[in-house]
């Protein structure tokens, strides 16, 4: 059937077209796939892939300027977030680009009914057989295999476009992107299923960073009560009706089990027992309730995120996208990074339908995502920020590396063909338009050893963090890690929160988990509570947080000054006074933050 589709589409090639005889020119290429990928076999011609075509956004600098202004507490436009119509207009390509790309697609038999367009018309997605994609892109696709993870994808190392299209198309994917979108494997440490009994709070107390008393049991087991005590939010009650919402994302067939959620509520927040979240399925996503289908990641996110913020309404986005297929199984489709489908969906939503704070606990090594693609996706996150949404990402669990260092030397290497020894930043945490959340442990808090942090090789350092990062860099001994990181790159994480010994319910049992997958929904929950306070006071939501955090918000954070994040055969960076590349600006003090955001 697929072969017939391809042959039917190919008939269109005989029509007269200005692209006939037009010379193809290489648009993008990579010297080699990242370490660990091996070429398995030519991709079957009838295997279906989702080609995602990015059209230029000539007015993005104007949108970015709006973002800086509405996110800067010192600017007169602070909080004056843009509408969907306004951001769509700023992200829309020139009509000339839309027209010529339409003409090119039509020359290959792909008419409007075959296309899916983003809300701003800046992305076009088409599902085509590999054979047709190879004709369109003058390339050859192969199945690439990653033995260590047993994953396989369909990719190429170079693709071309007719020269006339180069100024009208930024990129086409999946082509040269070999990223491995990860959750449990990199941003969540799972200790295994075990029955855990909640420790009685009668075992004494510890003085927390806010000067208040925290149950001593919180040094061994993190619960909702512990986080509220530690981060000074005991007694704050959010509204169920003021319009505030919290959003959590799920990918890679991570399902949030409702029975586990109710058991968790009964143990840690009885008032929430019987409540539920709104499920939104995207791109074929589901939320399988078979007990064995429960996902540790999804359970962690929903239990702590919605448990901390109850009764604030919560939304869980389950985005589909088959996991990489087995080379000999040709049925599943091979797609792009799943968060791009989520972005298409969320950016198409009307004003008021998007949660004002959203957490994602997934990511890639930055170098496995082509820079052109990373920049495009990052700009989409900027659009969300301009619309008043706070977007948080886990900073990763590989310290300054990727958790995939050379077994013999423990060093990490570049994949640009030079095989240089370097630190490996993570993406989307490295995007300057999101808030990256690192991890801490214990009371008093120290940096947890796996907290992802460092400096982007793609994105330059944004001005909002110049002072903080320069101060950190001056504290490094001369020559420290010279050549291993980019001191001029966007630095992350921005903030942090507890990331170890979180007690969740999984498959009907209590168990411990750890990772920056814990810290991102935790920090996001406190941001949601801050939004609740502002909305109830008649103010706008916080939106993109970083300009606020680096200008004044840091004064209401708990500075973490101990610990480091080893990786790539080094001890990594050290936590220190002020911002650092392990814990960022620190962990939240809710009462201080609330007073500060209500004064803006």
């Amino acid at each position: 059937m697929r072969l017939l589709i391809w042959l039917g589409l190919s008939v269109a090639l005989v029509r007269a077209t200005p692209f006939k005889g037009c010379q193809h020119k290489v648009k993008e290429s990579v010297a080699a796939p990242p370490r660990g990928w091996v070429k398995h076999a030519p991709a079957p011609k009838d295997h279906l892939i989702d080609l995602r075509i990015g059209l230029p956004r000539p007015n993005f600098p104007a949108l970015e300027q709006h973002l800086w202004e509405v996110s800067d507490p010192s600017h007169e436009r602070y909080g004056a977030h843009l509408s969907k119509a306004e951001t769509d207009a700023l992200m829309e390509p020139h009509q000339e680009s839309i027209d010529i790309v339409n003409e090119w697609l039509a020359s290959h038999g792909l008419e409007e009914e075959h296309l899916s367009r983003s809300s701003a018309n800046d992305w076009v997605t088409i599902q085509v057989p590999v054979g047709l994609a190879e004709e369109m892109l003058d390339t050859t696709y192969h199945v690439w295999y990653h033995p260590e993870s047993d994953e396989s994808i369909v990719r190429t190392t170079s693709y071309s476009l007719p020269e006339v299209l180069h100024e009208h198309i930024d990129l086409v994917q999946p082509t040269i992107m070999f990223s491995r979108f990860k959750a449990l494997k990199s941003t969540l440490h799972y200790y295994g299923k075990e029955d855990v009994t909640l420790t009685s709070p009668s075992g004494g107390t510890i003085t927390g960073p806010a000067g208040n008393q925290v149950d001593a049991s919180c040094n061994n087991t993190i619960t909702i009560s512990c986080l509220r005590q530690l981060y000074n939010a005991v007694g704050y009650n959010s509204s169920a009706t003021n319009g505030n919402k919290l959003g959590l994302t799920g990918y890679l067939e991570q399902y949030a089990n409702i029975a586990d959620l109710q058991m968790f509520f009964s143990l840690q927040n009885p008032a929430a027992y019987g409540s539920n979240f709104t499920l939104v399925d995207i791109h074929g996503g589901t939320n399988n309730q078979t007990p064995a289908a429960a996902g540790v990641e999804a359970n962690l996110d929903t239990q702590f995120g919605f448990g901390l913020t109850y009764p604030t309404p919560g939304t869980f986005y389950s985005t589909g996208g088959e996991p990489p297929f087995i080379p000999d199984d040709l049925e599943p489709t091979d797609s792009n990074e799943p968060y791009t489908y989520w972005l298409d969906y969320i950016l198409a939503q009307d004003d008021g339908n998007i949660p004002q704070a959203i957490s994602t606990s997934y990511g890639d090594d930055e170098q496995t995502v082509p820079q052109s693609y990373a920049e495009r996706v990052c700009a989409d996150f900027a659009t969300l920020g301009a619309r008043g949404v706070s977007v948080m990402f886990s900073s990763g669990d590989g310290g300054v590396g990727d958790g995939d260092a050379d077994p013999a030397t423990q060093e990490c290497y570049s994949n640009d063909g030079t095989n240089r020894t370097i630190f490996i930043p993570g993406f989307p945490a490295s995007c300057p338009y999101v808030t990256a959340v690192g991890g801490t442990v214990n009371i008093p808090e120290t940096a947890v050893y796996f907290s992802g942090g460092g400096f982007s090789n793609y994105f330059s350092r944004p001005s909002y963090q110049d002072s903080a990062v320069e101060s950190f860099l001056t504290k490094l001994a001369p020559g420290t890690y010279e050549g291993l990181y980019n001191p001029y790159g966007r630095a992350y994480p921005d903030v942090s929160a507890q990331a170890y010994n979180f007690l969740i319910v999984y498959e009907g049992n209590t168990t411990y988990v750890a990772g920056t997958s814990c810290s991102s929904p935790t920090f996001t929950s406190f941001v949601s509570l801050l939004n609740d306070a502002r909305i109830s006071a008649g103010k706008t939501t916080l939106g993109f947080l970083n300009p606020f955090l680096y200008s004044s918000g840091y004064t209401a954070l708990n500075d973490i000054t101990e610990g480091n994040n080893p990786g790539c055969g080094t001890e990594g960076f050290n936590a220190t006074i002020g911002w650092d590349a392990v814990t960022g600006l620190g962990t939240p003090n809710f009462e201080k933050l609330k007073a500060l955001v209500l004064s803006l």
Side-chain angles (χ1 to χ4, degrees):
M1 176 62 70
R2 291 176 180 174
L3 185 59
L4 291 175
I5 293 172
W6 173 49
L7 291 173
L9 291 173
S10 296
V11 169
L13 293 176
V14 301
R15 70 175 65 177
T17 165
F19 301 101
K20 279 283 186 182
C22 183
Q23 184 177 357
H24 276 66
K25 179 182 176 183
V26 173
K27 179 64 176 177
E28 291 187 291
S29 64
V30 291
R35 187 177 67 85
W37 288 102
V38 295
K39 188 181 292 186
H40 175 76
K45 300 296 183 185
D46 62 345
H47 178 73
L48 294 176
I49 57 176
D50 289 348
L51 279 187
R52 190 169 171 83
I53 303 166
L55 279 60
R57 300 153 163 171
N59 294 318
F60 177 73
L63 183 140
E64 185 182 40
Q65 184 60 36
H66 283 289
L67 176 67
W68 299 140
E69 292 177 0
V70 302
S71 307
D72 180 359
S74 67
H75 199 280
E76 62 182 3
R77 292 187 60 213
Y78 179 69
H81 304 124
L82 303 186
S83 67
K84 174 184 181 296
E86 289 170 325
T87 57
D88 278 354
L90 289 167
M91 295 293 273
E92 193 168 23
H94 287 315
Q95 188 61 45
E96 180 186 4
S97 295
I98 296 174
D99 291 342
I100 196 168
V101 170
N102 286 348
E103 194 172 356
W104 173 61
L105 293 173
S107 74
H108 289 280
L110 299 164
E111 304 293 348
E112 191 62 35
E113 62 267 24
H114 301 116
L115 316 180
S116 173
R117 299 185 186 275
S118 63
S119 182
N121 294 316
D122 51 340
W123 287 104
V124 178
T125 303
I126 51 174
Q127 188 175 79
V128 296
V130 162
L132 180 54
E134 290 178 331
E135 289 184 12
M136 295 170 66
L137 304 177
D138 190 25
T139 190
T140 301
Y141 278 92
H142 284 81
V143 176
W144 294 81
Y145 180 57
H146 194 272
E148 184 177 339
S149 63
D150 197 31
E151 295 176 356
S152 299
I153 56 177
V154 170
R155 294 293 187 270
T156 182
T157 55
S158 175
Y159 71 95
S160 300
L161 292 170
E163 277 196 77
V164 68
L165 287 176
H166 276 237
E167 63 180 301
H168 300 290
I169 292 178
D170 280 349
L171 56 87
V172 180
Q173 291 292 351
T175 48
I176 60 171
M177 183 167 61
F178 287 80
S179 54
R180 293 167 51 225
F181 195 57
K182 295 170 284 189
L184 272 73
K185 295 178 182 177
S186 69
T187 57
L188 184 69
H189 300 285
Y190 171 44
Y191 298 158
K193 194 166 59 176
E194 57 185 272
D195 216 4
V196 181
T197 302
L198 282 173
T199 305
S200 169
S202 62
T205 60
I206 309 169
T207 301
N212 59 330
Q213 295 302 296
V214 178
D215 293 341
S217 62
C218 297
N219 242 331
N220 302 307
T221 300
I222 293 296
T223 63
I224 286 175
S225 175
C226 287
L227 293 172
R228 285 218 169 213
Q229 293 174 58
L230 182 62
Y231 297 140
N232 201 18
V234 174
Y236 181 81
N237 297 310
S238 59
S239 169
T241 58
N242 65 0
N244 188 43
K245 295 186 287 290
L246 171 69
L248 303 170
T249 64
Y251 302 96
L252 305 178
E253 299 183 338
Q254 277 286 310
Y255 305 130
N257 187 269
I258 306 302
D260 287 345
L261 178 68
Q262 297 306 320
M263 181 177 172
F264 176 87
F265 283 161
S266 69
L267 290 171
Q268 296 200 30
N269 190 351
Y273 183 78
S275 68
N276 206 344
F277 53 81
T278 298
L279 174 68
V280 175
D281 298 334
I282 301 170
H283 192 60
T286 60
N287 196 35
N288 188 338
Q289 290 303 294
T290 305
V296 176
E297 178 73 65
N299 274 15
L300 163 68
D301 289 347
T302 53
Q303 289 172 21
F304 271 87
F306 300 140
L308 278 166
T309 57
Y310 176 81
T312 296
T315 301
F316 178 65
Y317 298 96
S318 178
T319 302
E322 296 286 343
F325 71 100
I326 300 169
D328 297 324
D329 176 7
L330 307 182
E331 286 306 311
T333 59
D334 195 48
S335 61
N336 298 281
E337 293 307 291
Y339 51 71
T340 60
Y341 295 103
W342 177 81
L343 276 167
D344 277 352
Y345 172 85
I346 206 75
L347 289 172
Q349 299 307 296
D350 292 334
D351 299 325
N353 288 344
I354 303 176
Q356 296 92 337
I358 300 175
S359 174
T360 299
S361 297
Y362 301 75
D364 303 297
D365 298 342
E366 184 185 71
Q367 67 172 356
T368 66
V369 182
Q371 184 166 353
S372 60
Y373 194 74
E375 290 174 349
R376 292 276 307 195
V377 171
C378 190
D380 285 336
F381 292 127
T383 304
L384 277 177
R387 291 182 64 179
V389 180
S390 302
V391 180
M392 268 62 65
F393 272 89
S394 299
S395 71
D397 288 357
V400 294
D402 60 356
D404 192 28
D406 183 274
T409 66
Q410 294 304 305
E411 293 181 338
C412 303
Y413 301 103
S414 67
N415 67 342
D416 58 1
T418 66
N419 213 35
R420 292 174 295 119
T421 301
I422 59 170
F423 289 163
I424 308 294
F427 179 82
S430 66
C431 170
Y433 310 122
V434 306
T435 300
V437 187
T440 63
V441 64
N442 296 331
I443 307 166
E445 288 183 280
T446 65
V448 72
Y449 70 91
F450 52 73
S451 183
F455 300 80
S456 173
N457 290 315
Y458 287 175
F459 302 100
S460 59
R461 185 198 308 151
S463 59
Y464 61 72
Q465 62 175 187
D466 272 343
S467 177
V469 175
E470 285 292 348
S471 176
F472 171 75
L473 292 174
T474 60
K475 297 172 187 174
L476 295 178
T480 301
Y481 303 142
E482 187 173 355
L484 295 182
Y485 73 97
N486 171 24
Y488 307 105
R490 184 283 205 256
Y492 75 97
D494 301 294
V495 292
S496 51
Q498 286 278 318
Y500 208 78
N501 280 345
F502 274 54
L503 186 65
I504 70 165
V505 175
Y506 175 63
E507 293 186 351
N509 297 285
T510 51
T511 188
Y512 287 112
V513 295
T516 55
S517 286
C518 300
S519 50
S520 183
T522 295
F523 191 88
T524 305
S525 294
F526 287 98
V527 172
S528 181
L529 295 179
L530 293 172
N531 277 332
D532 175 84
R534 279 183 59 88
I535 292 172
S536 293
K539 296 177 179 289
T540 59
T541 56
L542 291 167
F544 178 45
L545 293 170
N546 294 5
F548 158 68
L549 291 171
Y550 284 89
S551 63
S552 60
Y554 71 91
T555 63
L557 298 177
N558 310 309
D559 192 11
I560 311 302
T561 60
E562 300 290 336
N564 60 299
N565 57 348
C568 301
T570 75
E571 291 302 307
F573 294 108
N574 290 321
T576 187
I577 295 173
W579 181 90
D580 56 69
V582 194
T583 61
L585 296 166
T587 60
N589 181 327
F590 176 74
E591 283 298 329
K592 276 190 173 182
L593 283 166
K594 179 163 70 76
L596 192 54
V597 301
L598 289 179
S599 70
L600 300 176

